[in-house]
Amino acid sequence: NKPPLGYWLYELAVAVGGYNETAIRLLPLIPFLATIVLTWWIARSIRGDMSGLLAGALFVLLSTDPYLFGNGANMEHFMNLFGVASLACFLRAWDHSDRRWLLFCGLSLGAEILVKQVAVTHGVLFAIALAIRDIGRPGVATHETATWKRLGGDWIAFGSGIALVCGLSAVILITQGAGKEAFEDIFRYGPALATDTLPEPNAPSPL
């Protein structure tokens, strides 16, 4: 009931390490360690070395699913990696005119969406942030046409990354003959499962 990338990554682990528990449990260590590095870099670039070290340490303690014992296999590890990578790319693009980082941001976010559909909400936040980032910034042209032209270019670069990743996965699924089934599972069954089922016993409150 989820998009295919998470399943493909675990399939890769089985192909490399064999069909056993060790291969499945070792795979999340790679995105987990990479996400620690990205979290450290983001905090360090904003507030310095100590903030980076603190952010990395807090991520180790707070990032895993509360229902897991230890660093077990979970789709959220991939979501964390691609989501934090998209944020890191977005921050690199924030004060620069180079739109390649916005493209990389879209590529990373597209990968996150291909793990779980809910990540599309991050795209909405990025799009809003792009719309307001030049408010009050000195040296930025205030002419309405120039502002909208620049914003349109930013949105296109960002959206192109998402479209490229998601479009490629759609082509793969259709080529495999699984396009119709994937659409039913991802866009109909998955959302229904999230909204029409009762919460697990002792699950945290929605608040």
Side-chain angles (χ1 to χ4, degrees):
N1 62 307
K2 300 178 181 69
L5 184 55
Y7 301 117
W8 289 342
L9 289 170
Y10 279 117
E11 186 177 8
L12 176 63
V14 171
V16 173
Y19 191 71
N20 56 73
E21 183 178 350
T22 301
I24 296 298
R25 289 192 175 275
L26 286 179
L27 174 65
L29 291 176
I30 299 172
F32 187 77
L33 293 172
T35 310
I36 293 174
V37 174
L38 287 169
T39 304
W40 162 81
W41 180 85
I42 290 172
R44 180 178 179 272
S45 65
I46 295 173
R47 287 294 180 184
D49 292 338
M50 288 304 299
S51 293
L53 292 174
L54 179 61
L58 288 175
F59 179 83
V60 172
L61 298 175
L62 302 175
S63 65
T64 53
D65 191 305
Y67 288 97
L68 288 178
F69 295 96
N71 187 31
N74 199 314
M75 295 290 189
E76 275 71 21
H77 295 300
F78 304 124
M79 286 191 70
N80 285 340
L81 173 59
F82 297 132
V84 175
S86 68
L87 178 59
C89 293
F90 191 81
L91 291 176
R92 284 297 302 267
W94 187 257
D95 291 321
H96 298 81
S97 59
D98 189 348
R99 290 196 174 106
R100 286 180 297 179
W101 287 107
L102 289 177
L103 175 64
F104 296 149
C105 176
L107 291 171
S108 300
L109 182 58
E112 186 186 11
I113 293 171
L114 284 182
V115 177
K116 281 192 177 181
Q117 304 93 311
V118 68
V120 72
T121 56
H122 298 170
V124 176
L125 295 176
F126 282 138
I128 294 173
L130 286 173
I132 65 175
R133 68 171 174 167
D134 287 339
I135 294 178
R137 180 179 294 182
V140 175
T142 57
H143 191 276
E144 184 176 354
T145 303
T147 300
W148 279 106
K149 183 179 180 180
R150 182 172 57 252
L151 178 59
D154 292 342
W155 279 345
I156 290 173
F158 172 62
S160 295
I162 299 175
L164 182 62
V165 173
C166 294
L168 179 60
S169 71
V171 170
I172 294 173
L173 291 171
I174 293 171
T175 303
Q176 292 176 330
K180 181 179 179 181
E181 291 83 357
F183 178 83
E184 291 289 330
D185 289 341
I186 296 170
F187 293 100
R188 300 186 67 180
Y189 177 68
L193 188 65
T195 57
D196 299 344
T197 57
L198 296 174
E200 296 180 13
N202 301 319
S205 70
L207 181 61

